[in-house]
Amino acid sequence: MAFLLLSIIGAVIASVAYKASSESGCRRLQHLLVERFITTVGFICIGFALGGMQVNFEVVCLGLVAGLCLFVARVALLKMLETGQAPVIFTFWNMSLVIPVLLSIFLWHEKPATWRIIGLILVPMCFLLLGEHVTRNKNWHQEHPLWKRLFPILLCVLGEGVFSTCFKMVHVYHLVESRNLFLVLFNLFTLVALVLTTCIQREVPPRRWEYTYGALSGLGFIIAGAFGIIAVLRVPGTVFFPVVAAGSLVMTLFVTHLIWRQKISMTQKIGIGLSIVVIVLISMV
């Protein structure tokens, strides 16, 4: 449980940094560029200090898939935060846990308890409740078609879900001796994708607050990744992902409410509450 708690704390630090970055007008690519540079260097240091750097074809492929999915998911997440309410956006983000949970059930034959089945059935209702006026800017909401408002959400949920599943696959394919190399590789591939995108778009280098918030979220993800990879090797995926999602969601909502006092509709409050119930149900043994 200690590893789970530390992983949750790391995720909350990163989430708050994302929100602060959005509120400060930081650019998405520059923030992520700093963040992934910090995480890549951090995990290289951890790998050489603690081991787990055995090289093989499977971990390289897994790192590539995870890195590309992470790139897509995080760019979409920061895009959502520009126009949406943090509590709702972070709830969508954490609902991506459904993907690794379903794959754990159907691909790796983890037997779900009745409560988990009930929780999964309630997931579509959560999305409907949370989807009410996802943006705070009514003009933006009216001027953009539904598909343009939902597309970043879809990319974020799918990308984050597949990315999380890759952590489970480290255990499934017995890559324990390559666990830290996996952390290095997916961050390195994400960093390469960000550098190429930045060069193609001819973006200017990061500014002060982009360095600050990028480094903060990078530190959070180092904590979350280092302890999360240990936890996922010790507990079933149907337990690890919901517990981390529920814990980080509740703590993130509490912190962002204290700092920014954002208002959300009653329907969205119900959706957030139901999402927490769903995550708890899925995590029950």
Side-chain angles (χ1 to χ4, degrees):
M1 290 302 294
F3 293 122
L4 281 173
L5 178 60
L6 290 169
S7 182
I8 289 170
I9 291 173
V12 173
I13 292 172
S15 298
V16 173
Y18 276 174
K19 176 59 181 171
S21 176
S22 176
E23 290 293 322
S24 300
C26 295
R27 295 160 298 172
R28 296 188 300 277
L29 288 178
Q30 281 77 357
H31 175 121
L32 292 173
L33 195 62
V34 175
E35 172 192 290
R36 288 302 131 182
F37 176 78
I38 294 293
T39 54
T40 301
V41 173
F43 285 126
I44 288 175
C45 294
I46 290 173
F48 281 112
L50 302 179
M53 297 286 284
Q54 181 176 314
V55 180
N56 57 64
F57 179 73
E58 289 83 359
V59 77
V60 173
C61 292
L62 203 57
L64 176 61
V65 173
L68 293 178
C69 288
L70 181 64
F71 168 73
V72 171
R74 297 297 160 80
V75 171
L77 175 65
L78 288 175
K79 174 63 177 177
M80 291 160 60
L81 283 171
E82 288 180 357
T83 54
Q85 301 152 311
V88 179
I89 300 305
F90 286 130
T91 304
F92 272 120
W93 186 26
N94 283 279
M95 289 297 285
S96 64
L97 73 95
V98 172
I99 294 175
V101 169
L102 287 175
L103 291 175
S104 294
I105 293 170
F106 292 108
L107 286 185
W108 301 303
H109 309 294
E110 293 185 7
K111 295 182 179 179
T114 304
W115 297 114
R116 291 176 187 162
I117 296 174
I118 294 173
L120 291 170
I121 292 173
L122 291 174
V123 168
M125 187 179 297
C126 295
F127 279 103
L128 290 175
L129 292 171
L130 292 169
E132 186 207 36
H133 303 302
V134 173
T135 63
R136 67 166 75 94
N137 187 326
K138 291 184 178 180
N139 291 330
W140 191 94
H141 189 276
Q142 293 170 354
E143 293 172 3
H144 291 75
L146 180 62
W147 71 267
K148 193 168 185 178
R149 301 196 302 269
L150 294 181
F151 189 60
I153 296 174
L154 181 63
L155 285 179
C156 180
V157 172
L158 290 178
E160 199 72 33
V162 175
F163 167 69
S164 299
T165 303
C166 290
F167 274 75
K168 174 65 178 177
M169 293 175 72
V170 171
H171 172 66
V172 171
Y173 291 109
H174 308 291
L175 299 174
V176 177
E177 296 300 321
S178 303
R179 62 189 185 281
N180 287 325
L181 179 60
F182 167 70
L183 296 175
V184 171
L185 287 175
F186 82 70
N187 280 286
L188 182 60
F189 285 129
T190 305
L191 180 61
V192 170
L194 288 165
V195 170
L196 290 176
T197 305
T198 303
C199 292
I200 292 172
Q201 296 187 1
R202 297 182 179 180
E203 296 280 354
V204 299
R207 296 189 290 255
R208 174 187 173 188
W209 289 113
E210 291 159 351
Y211 278 114
T212 301
Y213 293 128
L216 182 60
S217 62
L219 175 63
F221 283 123
I222 289 174
I223 296 171
F227 292 105
I229 194 71
I230 297 173
V232 79
L233 292 172
R234 299 188 178 191
V235 299
T238 50
V239 174
F240 170 79
F241 296 109
V243 170
V244 171
S248 60
L249 174 60
V250 172
M251 291 176 66
T252 299
L253 295 182
F254 178 71
V255 173
T256 54
H257 175 71
L258 286 179
I259 298 174
W260 289 285
R261 299 287 181 180
Q262 286 193 319
K263 295 181 179 180
I264 58 176
S265 71
M266 180 57 66
T267 302
Q268 290 171 331
K269 289 179 180 178
I270 295 172
I272 292 171
L274 183 60
S275 297
I276 294 172
V277 171
V278 165
I279 293 170
V280 171
L281 286 173
I282 294 175
S283 66
M284 291 178 65
V285 178

